[in-house]
Amino acid sequence: MRIRLFHLQNSRSQRIIWFLEELGLNYELTIKDHSGIDKDKNSPHQLSKFPTIEIIEQGKTSILAETSAILDYLSHLHPQLGPNSLLSQQLQNFYYWKNYSEATFIPDLVLKQIFHQIVKRTPFPVRFIPKFLKYGFDQGYLNQSLQRQMSMIDKHLEHHLWFAGDQFTTADILMWFPLLAFSPNYRQFKHIQRYLAQIENRPAFKNALIKGRWSASTFKAYWTTAW
Amino acid sequence: MRIRLFHLQNSRSQRIIWFLEELGLNYELTIKDHSGIDKDKNSPHQLSKFPTIEIIEQGKTSILAETSAILDYLSHLHPQLGPNSLLSQQLQNFYYWKNYSEATFIPDLVLKQIFHQIVKRTPFPVRFIPKFLKYGFDQGYLNQSLQRQMSMIDKHLEHHLWFAGDQFTTADILMWFPLLAFSPNYRQFKHIQRYLAQIENRPAFKNALIKGRWSASTFKAYWTTAW
């Protein structure tokens, strides 16, 4: 089986590189950056999504998108970071955090960017209008919801080394990206800070940042302005 | 193991009742409706989410939320509708649609409601402002994205009986809810219509609608106005 990964720089697809590095799998990498995204330069998935992998097996090529789907499928074949050795409460933790990341946490992250982009793209003389709506939505719902979520995560990490428990799993790979994007605004949560530092010390994580051409400053600038 | 399900009427948590009915598992059901949601009447999950299950095992109670996490965990224990008997391309289909539902499809559904609710809650004299923004966002991004997604789904269902292939799986349970909410606005997609009719004929699905006190008219009214 040959794997080719279509990766968008500084985006959530960084997690797939990290996963492949943790497992030591061979893969080809095609990197796009935000400036180069147009119809011809997108991923081969029907919705032009990143990350997307091409899997070439016995001369047949298939295409798979969605971060969680890629991790689930590759974990099915290479189960080292999956649920197999987990029991009862750890299994529940694993499934909860893994699904929470993409279904609840990241959609809130995306909402921050959507409102920010609407403000940014509105011509200056009437920009106060979406700004006012963003403010109302942040104050009335989003910020409060995020505060509760970050607090829940911090409480969990106070008593657990990794999200599932004492073992590093794909739940950690999935949670890292939204946590990194939210954490600069929630510096009071010490266990989250400890957790992120712990990830930064993993050799596979470091390699993945280099291979994915990760730019900490670009990432930070992109997420800080959305707050 | 005893299961107690906290279900919110006419919401995505209907899918967990359906799953439990398909498997013929025993469970207790606590039903809330939208009118009764306040701080004291929510689910026992830290984020007050629906669906949430309470699992009571050897005198110990644990709490699990997130539709996909509940399906993943219960499928781990009762694998009949899971990936175990799928091969290669069917496995990829299973993992793709299962994750696409919660991570891409439903967040777009929620965006429709968020903008609609902002319009609804803005005082009448200035309501044209969020209305204008909703229109811009729908035209500039959301409607186009949904059209592409519905078209991709319809194309898939043209060649597949169920989402994974020829077997009914939890990917079908996950996809049903957003498909039902979107489909009245995309009547041109005949394979999606065939698929939804096929689901309505399943005895477990019918039982689940009765037990969950599903109201087709309330559901329809809620989703139609958001368009």
Side-chain angles (χ1 to χ4, degrees):
Chain A
M1 189 174 95
R2 276 171 51 210
I3 298 169
R4 188 175 176 200
L5 169 61
F6 293 82
H7 163 61
L8 179 64
Q9 222 188 326
N10 297 318
S11 83
R12 40 184 136 169
S13 72
Q14 179 64 37
R15 294 176 293 178
I16 304 295
I17 306 183
W18 179 19
F19 173 80
L20 293 164
E21 291 293 322
E22 288 281 352
L23 288 190
L25 294 176
N26 280 327
Y27 59 99
E28 287 169 56
L29 191 56
T30 299
I31 301 182
K32 311 278 176 169
D33 63 33
H34 286 268
S35 67
I37 298 179
D38 59 38
K39 276 181 187 165
D40 300 326
K41 288 178 180 167
N42 256 328
S43 90
H45 185 258
Q46 292 180 70
L47 303 179
S48 306
K49 280 272 203 168
F50 294 98
T52 287
I53 58 170
E54 248 180 33
I55 303 158
I56 303 144
E57 225 171 352
Q58 300 170 330
K60 212 177 143 259
T61 303
S62 51
I63 302 287
L64 186 60
E66 289 289 346
T67 307
S68 303
I70 296 170
L71 292 187
D72 276 353
Y73 179 68
L74 294 178
S75 285
H76 189 97
L77 306 175
H78 307 274
Q80 296 92 310
L81 303 179
N84 288 2
S85 58
L86 306 176
L87 290 170
S88 193
Q89 187 57 53
Q90 294 195 333
L91 260 181
Q92 289 176 29
N93 292 343
F94 172 79
Y95 285 127
Y96 177 70
W97 294 106
K98 174 179 158 346
N99 286 292
Y100 159 79
S101 169
E102 307 301 285
T104 296
F105 202 29
I106 289 193
D108 275 354
L109 198 59
V110 171
L111 277 178
K112 278 279 172 199
Q113 281 296 344
I114 285 175
F115 278 89
H116 172 64
Q117 294 298 326
I118 289 176
V119 171
K120 224 173 100 181
R121 288 167 196 201
T122 305
F124 180 72
V126 287
R127 192 173 288 171
F128 70 95
I129 297 172
K131 258 194 176 164
F132 180 76
L133 283 178
K134 178 177 177 6
Y135 180 82
F137 185 64
D138 277 349
Q139 297 303 312
Y141 166 74
L142 193 53
N143 289 357
Q144 203 178 340
S145 164
L146 286 174
Q147 177 76 26
R148 286 175 73 195
Q149 292 179 55
M150 291 297 279
S151 169
M152 170 182 81
I153 294 167
D154 197 63
K155 219 163 90 185
H156 183 75
L157 292 176
E158 184 180 353
H159 302 291
H160 299 87
L161 188 62
W162 301 103
F163 274 102
D166 49 13
Q167 285 175 64
F168 178 82
T169 66
T170 55
D172 297 292
I173 294 180
L174 283 163
M175 284 293 290
W176 161 74
F177 181 82
L179 262 189
L180 188 69
F182 279 130
S183 64
N185 305 286
Y186 298 89
R187 289 194 194 282
Q188 72 269 37
F189 295 124
K190 298 296 173 209
H191 307 291
I192 291 176
Q193 306 301 335
R194 179 272 301 166
Y195 176 80
L196 289 172
Q198 181 179 304
I199 283 176
E200 282 168 21
N201 282 326
R202 293 182 77 84
F205 179 81
K206 290 180 196 169
N207 285 342
L209 291 187
I210 295 163
K211 293 203 181 162
R213 295 189 206 147
W214 181 264
S215 157
S217 60
T218 306
F219 175 81
K220 208 178 150 190
Y222 181 74
W223 285 105
T224 309
T225 52
W227 242 259
Chain B
M1 189 174 95
R2 276 170 52 208
I3 298 169
R4 187 175 176 201
L5 169 62
F6 293 82
H7 163 61
L8 179 64
Q9 223 189 325
N10 296 318
S11 83
R12 39 183 135 167
S13 72
Q14 179 64 37
R15 295 176 292 179
I16 304 295
I17 305 183
W18 179 19
F19 173 79
L20 293 165
E21 290 294 321
E22 289 281 352
L23 288 190
L25 294 177
N26 279 327
Y27 60 100
E28 286 169 55
L29 192 55
T30 299
I31 302 182
K32 311 277 176 169
D33 62 30
H34 286 266
S35 66
I37 298 179
D38 60 36
K39 276 181 187 163
D40 299 326
K41 288 179 181 166
N42 257 327
S43 90
H45 185 259
Q46 292 179 70
L47 303 178
S48 306
K49 281 272 205 167
F50 293 98
T52 287
I53 58 169
E54 249 180 32
I55 302 158
I56 302 145
E57 225 171 353
Q58 300 170 331
K60 213 177 142 260
T61 302
S62 51
I63 302 287
L64 186 61
E66 289 291 344
T67 307
S68 304
I70 296 170
L71 292 185
D72 275 353
Y73 180 69
L74 294 178
S75 284
H76 189 97
L77 306 176
H78 307 274
Q80 296 93 311
L81 304 178
N84 287 3
S85 58
L86 305 175
L87 289 170
S88 194
Q89 187 58 53
Q90 294 195 334
L91 260 182
Q92 288 176 30
N93 291 343
F94 172 79
Y95 286 126
Y96 177 69
W97 294 106
K98 175 179 157 347
N99 287 292
Y100 159 80
S101 169
E102 308 301 284
T104 296
F105 203 29
I106 289 192
D108 276 354
L109 198 60
V110 171
L111 277 179
K112 278 277 174 200
Q113 281 296 344
I114 284 175
F115 278 89
H116 172 65
Q117 294 299 327
I118 289 176
V119 171
K120 227 173 96 180
R121 289 167 194 202
T122 305
F124 181 72
V126 289
R127 193 174 288 171
F128 71 94
I129 297 172
K131 258 193 176 164
F132 180 77
L133 283 179
K134 178 175 174 15
Y135 180 83
F137 185 64
D138 277 348
Q139 297 303 310
Y141 165 73
L142 193 53
N143 289 357
Q144 203 178 340
S145 164
L146 286 174
Q147 177 76 26
R148 287 175 73 194
Q149 292 180 55
M150 291 297 279
S151 168
M152 169 182 81
I153 294 167
D154 197 63
K155 220 164 91 185
H156 183 75
L157 291 176
E158 184 179 354
H159 302 291
H160 299 86
L161 188 61
W162 300 105
F163 274 102
D166 48 15
Q167 285 174 64
F168 178 81
T169 65
T170 55
D172 297 292
I173 294 179
L174 283 163
M175 283 293 290
W176 161 74
F177 180 83
L179 264 189
L180 187 70
F182 279 130
S183 64
N185 307 286
Y186 298 91
R187 290 195 192 281
Q188 72 270 38
F189 294 124
K190 297 296 174 211
H191 307 291
I192 292 175
Q193 306 300 335
R194 179 272 300 164
Y195 175 79
L196 289 172
Q198 180 178 305
I199 282 175
E200 281 167 21
N201 282 325
R202 293 181 78 84
F205 179 80
K206 289 181 197 171
N207 285 342
L209 292 187
I210 295 164
K211 292 202 179 163
R213 297 191 205 143
W214 181 264
S215 157
S217 59
T218 305
F219 176 82
K220 208 177 149 191
Y222 181 75
W223 286 105
T224 310
T225 52
W227 242 257

